[in-house]
Amino acid sequence: MSATDMTHDAAVELSGLRVAFGKTQVVDGVDLRLDRGQALALIGESGSGKSVTLRSILRLFPAGRSRIEGRISAAGKDVLALDKRALADFRGGDVSMIFQEPLLAFDPVYTVGRQITESIQRHEKISAQDARARALALFERVRIPSPERRLDNYPHEMSGGMRQRAMIALALACRPQVLLADEPTTALDATVQIQVLLLLRELQRDLGLSIVIVTHDLGAAVEVADRIAVMYAGKIVEVGTARQVVRDPHHPYTIGLLRSRAEGAMDKGSRLQTIPGSPPDLANRPPGCPFAPRCFLAEDRCRREMPPVGTISPGHDVACWRTEEASAAYRAGPQPVAVEMA
Ligand SMILES: Nc1ncnc2c1ncn2[C@@H]1O[C@H](COP(=O)(O)OP(=O)(O)O)[C@@H](O)[C@H]1O
Ligand SMILES: [Mg+2]
């Protein structure tokens, strides 16, 4: 199949994605689809494989150390089939990425404006003057005050929030269709976090961007995303519209995330870390559902057999044997999430 035969209306489509480092399977059969112009949030505890999934869309891996299987389509390209040259154009030109730490995206010895104009000139035949004009327009777009002057700043001369905006400008410089964001606001303080999330939402709407945002902040996910995918031990366990997942969860892990948030502080940035027990050792994956050892509804079958993905309602898919019981327990009100003793 050629690179142009991929599904056309999806901005990103992962089919049977598996990523292993050595013998450790860290992404274990992910199917995920993001429609054009939409935002998808990928949530889950630390170590669940969110960043690896996101980075695989740009094939950002240490060469030779990882094994990738499955299909990745993004911005109409068959990502795993791209040669070196096509991959360089694809990165930034079709799909670009922002990170938690903007200092890593910028070279400390050049001004931010110069780095943005050079990125544009690497991808397009355009004069330095026109590239500078586009960089200025981008700074205005991401609402950096005194944009003309700020283009001549070195990265360290900007505040954290401003640097985050400058990194978004850099990511958008070559007009990508898809923006990948890995915990883009985690390092910022609460009020700045909200501003950056609202900016991403606005850019997505105004530019028709498609966004995948990785976060372990459920509040951030609800703020910015049309759809939410919940990841556990390298698998998507629940996916649906933000409303379906947050208001009508059917997977005990999602319920645990929601409860841990409700029990803890409701402020922005509260972490999804308080479900009792800990994620499985991915190098020694237990048979059956990986969440079973921590699940308040687990029964024998859960420990033997991985549940298939089932559809709760259109667009709302869950991989659990006991979705009805989970949903009923959630609707019945707060209930502690018990840790099952081995
Ligand atoms: N380059 C790498 N080499 C080996 N293992 C890795 C590498 N990157 C991530 N991992 C492992 O893959 C698993 C998933 O990591 P990651 O995707 O970063 O989790 P998350 O972003 O959900 O916190 C973790 O167990 C992590 O240690
Ligand atoms: Mg991560």
Side-chain angles (χ1 to χ4, degrees):
M1 182 176 270
S2 82
T4 50
D5 290 337
M6 304 292 290
T7 315
H8 287 294
D9 45 355
V12 175
E13 190 159 22
L14 310 177
S15 317
L17 179 68
R18 291 165 54 82
V19 183
F21 295 104
K23 286 184 182 149
T24 308
Q25 195 70 51
V26 303
V27 175
D28 193 22
V30 163
D31 295 309
L32 202 57
R33 181 195 158 89
L34 168 67
D35 286 337
R36 284 189 197 277
Q38 293 226 315
L40 170 81
L42 199 51
I43 67 168
E45 287 163 299
S46 177
S48 55
K50 306 181 299 295
S51 293
V52 170
T53 300
L54 198 71
R55 294 167 70 90
S56 70
I57 300 168
L58 282 175
R59 273 169 56 189
L60 291 173
F61 289 116
R65 293 191 45 224
S66 53
R67 195 181 68 249
I68 306 177
E69 297 163 87
R71 275 163 58 85
I72 302 172
S73 153
K77 306 261 168 77
D78 180 351
V79 177
L80 298 181
L82 297 176
D83 63 25
K84 208 173 165 185
R85 178 73 206 277
L87 185 60
D89 289 340
F90 173 77
R91 289 178 177 157
D94 293 304
V95 177
S96 64
M97 188 151 176
I98 59 174
F99 304 90
Q100 184 174 329
E101 182 37 81
L103 280 178
L104 298 177
F106 289 109
D107 188 324
V109 305
Y110 298 108
T111 65
V112 168
R114 173 167 170 183
Q115 294 180 60
I116 293 174
T117 55
E118 282 183 354
S119 170
I120 297 169
Q121 289 186 292
R122 254 198 314 279
H123 279 88
E124 291 172 40
K125 266 197 145 39
I126 181 173
S127 71
Q129 201 178 1
D130 289 348
R132 168 92 184 184
R134 197 196 292 176
L136 179 61
L138 282 162
F139 263 34
E140 284 164 357
R141 171 110 241 171
V142 300
R143 294 213 210 82
I144 290 179
S146 319
E148 181 84 60
R149 187 169 61 81
R150 287 294 181 180
L151 279 175
D152 296 324
N153 273 182
Y154 290 89
H156 71 268
E157 294 176 308
M158 293 180 157
S159 67
M162 196 179 296
R163 219 156 32 221
Q164 202 71 12
R165 287 168 189 271
M167 177 167 55
I168 294 169
L170 175 64
L172 297 179
C174 301
R175 301 182 168 140
Q177 299 174 38
V178 179
L179 182 67
L180 309 176
D182 196 351
E183 311 258 10
T185 62
T186 304
L188 304 171
D189 67 45
T191 48
V192 182
Q193 279 193 21
I194 295 164
Q195 290 167 8
V196 171
L197 291 172
L198 291 175
L199 173 65
L200 287 174
R201 192 64 164 160
E202 180 191 312
L203 291 168
Q204 179 225 334
R205 289 192 174 133
D206 293 356
L207 305 176
L209 269 180
S210 312
I211 296 182
V212 187
I213 180 170
V214 160
T215 176
H216 52 237
D217 180 351
L218 198 52
V222 171
E223 197 81 63
V224 82
D226 301 294
R227 291 175 66 74
I228 295 178
V230 181
M231 200 161 184
Y232 189 79
K235 294 178 188 291
I236 304 294
V237 295
E238 178 154 15
V239 61
T241 63
R243 171 166 275 276
Q244 285 169 335
V245 171
V246 171
R247 293 263 188 268
D248 191 27
H250 275 64
H251 195 288
Y253 180 60
T254 312
I255 292 169
L257 294 180
L258 290 165
R259 291 251 163 88
S260 67
R261 187 176 162 80
E263 284 158 12
M266 282 301 288
D267 59 314
K268 286 244 162 289
S270 72
R271 301 296 154 82
L272 304 174
Q273 304 276 9
T274 49
I275 297 175
S278 48
D281 172 9
L282 296 177
N284 294 292
R285 218 172 247 285
C289 172
F291 188 59
R294 298 170 78 188
C295 182
F296 68 103
L297 287 172
E299 54 185 17
D300 280 350
R301 177 165 59 165
C302 306
R303 286 177 282 263
R304 282 197 314 266
E305 246 182 289
M306 178 63 200
V309 175
T311 298
I312 304 299
S313 56
H316 187 189
D317 294 331
V318 180
C320 174
W321 291 117
R322 310 204 68 196
T323 52
E324 285 313 312
E325 293 87 343
S327 173
Y330 187 69
R331 282 183 272 113
Q335 174 184 320
V337 179
V339 197
E340 182 190 287
M341 293 301 158

